[in-house]
Amino acid sequence: MADPSKEFLRKLQATFRTEAEEHLAAIVSGIVQLEQASDGAQKELVERILKKLHTLKGAARAVNLPDLEMLCHATESVFSGLRTSGRLLEAAQFDLLHQAGNLAGQLLEQPSGRTRNQAAALTGRLNQLSATIPAGEKRDDIMPPAAESDVAETEAEIAQPADEPGAIDQTVLAVPRSAGTQAEVIRVHSRNLDAIRYQAEELLSVELGLQHHINDLLQLADSMREQRERLQLTESDSRRIVRKRQAIPSAPSLQTSSAGDAASAAGRTTDAESVDDSVERQCRRVAGALAKTRRQFVMTRAKLMEATLETALVPFASALEQLPGLLRNLARSRDKLALLDIHDDSIQIDRRILDVVRETLIHLVTNAVDHGIEPPAVRLASGKPADGTIRIRVRQRDANRVSVTVADDGAGIDIARLTSAAIRDGSLSEERLAGLDDRQKLHLALQAGISTAAQITSVSGRGMGLAIVAEKVAAVGGELLIDNLPGVGCSFELLLPVRLSTLRGLVLRVRGVPFVFPLSGMEAVRALKEGDLCTVENRETLLVAGRVVPAIRLGQLLGIGRAEPSQVAEDGVAVIARAAGSTFALLVDEILSEQEVLPKSLGKQLRRVRCITGATQLGDGSLVPILGLEDIARYGLAAGEGAAPVAVQRDAADRKRVLVVEDSITSRLLLKHILEGAGYQVDTAVDGLDALSQLRQETFDAVVSDVEMPQLDGLALTERLRANPKTEDMPVILVTSLQSPEEKERGLRAGADAYVVKGAFDQDNLLKTIRRLI
């Protein structure tokens, strides 16, 4: 039986880590600000840091972390000396304080013996530093240390155990009490909030399903009306025939018989019409009642969604706390001087978007220090101050969007070096370069593998940082804008949604395959007629509002099916879009509808699929990919210059057949989409048992399988295939999130020919692997 005291301590430590990380981030940020602050602001910063240190020290004592407690105490002694003496520290002494912040963060996790030894040694050095700070006389203009009651209250708050063991990611909610009382602040596990939000978002699928059923009922009523009208025409023809027969002389018995048959048929027709008319009216009544229920459901769902999303909003400032320490350490390691100027306007944003913002800000600040800010001597020679400045501005752009601008006063982006790097990398041809303006050239910096750095360092030089920023921003439905002035500086503006939930999109179809086009990237829609498309410099173009814009055929780009002559004709629809600094016309067959959809990410299984950012479920239950406009602009414009096509089409007889085994319906859909786009014939199975059943009846050239599946997993499936003489030589590719060396060894020992890790998934890697094996 588990020891209750140990279980309580474990829960207590889980809650403590959440609080401690917040306090530590504020402490590190405060140290950076103190190093750069003017005399008037120092005492307030010192006092703020002291309070955080005192709280963190008491909390560490409460959860029995003596190493962290001693380190906090030694750091607190330094700041206590600064508070009473008003003395300033030197840069090397500030280094000790930053080391203390870094070691405290390591002690919060699972510290090694080496970390504890380093903490003990640093504690001694901090004690020596505090001893050298003259105590002086206590100044009356400085606030006294935090009251014991405040500390006790904070420690009591930390001592509240979590509802679930091991969960440390929590969100603070303000729940109003009765009138006249203060708001009660409670902590809720983020996974519980995510579960509520997920269920609220799923109600959109129910709403779309209701509308689909209403449409079915109305179509049924229309069909019955059309059938009744046809019956009425048939009855009219029968009566006309009877009248003609009656006009012809014949035996009386025959005339009576003919008249009786016609009357009988007319009677049956009238009865059928009456029944059909009644059923049609009933269908329309039910459809009307359902439509009224749907409208009420839509209103309730919208209010529930609004309330749910409000609980997911967190202060944007929490994404900025780590940046001062990052900037200082990075600048010192590059022998540069840099200051950080932040204004966030107390904006709140969806927690899921904030997770993306944190990573993008790290990349942008790193890029600004490493590539933008010049060394002090260079800045002084050009008439600039020795200290470079990086400004971060966060403001509400409109009701639904937030603008985040990261600007520096450095050298800016050298466009000539950037285009040379793109040509050298093979991402840009001389012909296309001639047709790009400066803004389009700037967006080349967002492509993976393109860097203007002279050498590769531990933090930059491989051309990945800005590519990751562009990918992350696009994944949440945002937009990235670049402004550059050589020699003066460069700025990146992120336009992000406040909430991450549903989006408006066009449901369009290309060669029988539906896709969702995000409305945020659309400028206009235009029906094509013969003569609209013109070929300019070996590329199809379209004249739009006096501008000549390049045209991209979506079906050809994605390699969907084989283009029939009718599909190459100049008809269909052009969606005028803007992405990656370019305007283009996306050519599709037809637009089915405009509607609200709930985007689902591809997850770790398919993190990077070219031209696709996610998937959504329509009202009829079908899964539809969501188009990624950044990729479409990049690869579509490049393909028009004779670049290698995205997919290679084969005749039906030559197409290799692949069996995809995946229990996740989203992953199954996207894998099928990728392989079919590459020219393979694809069948799917929901697990290993389903795959074995199909393999007994059909012949395949390769199997692409997940590892973790119910009933029969990928490892057991591989072993079964290797034990069967019919399939022992069939290539098997495992696509899985299990990436430890032991797991890889298990997969290869089971007989797999290749092992593709989902966390580092790239469709090109998968296709190269399959082509190599079959």
Side-chain angles (χ1 to χ4, degrees), residues 212-259:
H212 182 74
H213 297 323
I214 293 170
N215 294 339
D216 283 347
L217 274 172
L218 293 175
Q219 288 177 4
L220 177 60
D222 291 339
S223 176
M224 296 177 71
R225 182 188 61 197
E226 293 172 359
Q227 185 178 5
R228 187 175 66 254
E229 290 174 352
R230 286 196 298 269
L231 287 173
Q232 289 173 348
L233 290 175
T234 303
E235 178 189 357
S236 176
D237 293 341
S238 299
R239 289 174 177 170
R240 192 180 309 113
I241 292 172
V242 169
R243 285 195 296 270
K244 288 182 179 179
R245 286 180 178 178
Q246 289 174 344
I248 299 174
S250 60
S253 60
L254 182 59
Q255 291 181 0
T256 303
S257 176
S258 300

Side-chain angles (χ1 to χ4, degrees), residues 337-339 373-389 391 409:
L337 301 176
L339 303 175
I373 302 298
E374 313 95 327
V378 175
R379 292 182 62 85
L380 291 172
S382 61
K384 296 181 179 180
D387 293 337
T389 302
R391 293 181 173 84
D409 63 350

Side-chain angles (χ1 to χ4, degrees), residues 282-551:
Q282 184 67 19
C283 286
R284 296 192 185 279
R285 279 198 299 269
V286 173
L290 276 176
K292 181 179 180 180
T293 302
R294 177 187 173 275
R295 288 193 294 271
Q296 295 173 342
F297 179 84
V298 169
M299 294 175 59
T300 304
R301 183 191 69 80
K303 293 178 181 178
L304 175 61
M305 196 67 222
E306 181 70 19
T308 303
L309 291 176
E310 283 293 325
T311 64
L313 297 180
V314 293
F316 194 100
S318 61
L320 307 173
E321 293 174 342
Q322 60 184 324
L323 296 180
L326 169 70
L327 175 67
R328 179 189 185 276
N329 295 334
L330 188 58
R332 285 179 65 83
S333 68
R334 296 292 181 269
D335 294 325
K336 297 180 179 180
L337 301 176
L339 303 175
L340 190 62
D341 183 14
I342 297 177
H343 291 276
D344 65 3
D345 291 343
S346 302
I347 287 174
Q348 291 196 322
I349 195 169
D350 192 308
R351 181 172 55 84
R352 293 166 294 174
I353 298 177
L354 197 67
D355 292 339
V356 173
V357 171
R358 283 193 180 95
E359 186 173 351
T360 58
L361 288 178
I362 289 174
H363 285 296
L364 290 176
V365 170
T366 300
N367 184 76
V369 174
D370 214 38
H371 297 297
I373 302 298
E374 313 95 327
V378 175
R379 292 182 62 85
L380 291 172
S382 61
K384 296 181 179 180
D387 293 337
T389 302
I390 298 175
R391 293 181 173 84
I392 298 179
R393 296 289 184 270
V394 184
R395 59 189 177 88
Q396 196 85 33
R397 183 68 174 261
D398 52 45
N400 300 314
R401 291 193 301 173
V402 169
S403 169
V404 184
T405 303
V406 180
D408 65 75
D409 63 350
I413 297 177
D414 189 329
I415 296 181
R417 290 180 62 185
L418 180 63
T419 54
S420 297
I423 293 174
R424 189 167 55 251
D425 180 69
S427 303
L428 182 68
S429 66
E430 295 284 358
E431 292 77 10
R432 187 185 172 201
L433 174 61
L436 297 181
D437 57 28
D438 285 347
R439 183 168 295 278
Q440 292 172 327
K441 292 175 182 177
L442 279 175
H443 277 78
L444 293 172
L446 305 179
Q447 297 188 23
I450 299 179
S451 175
T452 59
Q455 60 182 358
I456 296 177
T457 67
S458 59
V459 297
S460 66
R462 290 184 171 85
M464 295 304 297
L466 294 182
I468 293 173
V469 170
E471 182 179 326
K472 294 289 186 181
V473 171
V476 296
E479 186 179 356
L480 177 58
L481 306 176
I482 309 177
D483 194 12
N484 180 63
L485 193 58
V488 178
C490 180
S491 70
F492 295 84
E493 183 179 14
L494 315 180
L495 297 178
L496 303 168
V498 175
R499 299 178 178 88
L500 187 60
S501 54
T502 59
L503 63 83
R504 299 291 301 179
L506 293 179
V507 182
L508 48 84
R509 185 154 51 198
V510 181
R511 298 180 187 174
V513 181
F515 294 92
V516 171
F517 181 100
L519 279 182
S520 58
M522 187 189 76
E523 290 190 356
V525 175
R526 174 174 166 181
L528 294 177
K529 59 183 182 296
E530 188 174 356
D532 282 349
L533 293 176
C534 301
T535 301
V536 178
E537 297 180 355
N538 202 30
R539 167 184 283 285
E540 285 187 305
T541 61
L542 182 67
L543 186 63
V544 179
R547 298 176 298 166
V548 177
V549 300

Side-chain angles (χ1 to χ4, degrees), residues 659-681:
L659 179 63
V660 171
V661 190
E662 170 65 69
D663 61 317
S664 167
I665 187 171
T666 304
S667 299
R668 200 160 61 240
L669 169 75
L670 269 299
L671 281 172
K672 178 178 172 69
H673 168 75
I674 291 170
L675 296 178
E676 286 183 338
Y680 296 103
Q681 183 179 349

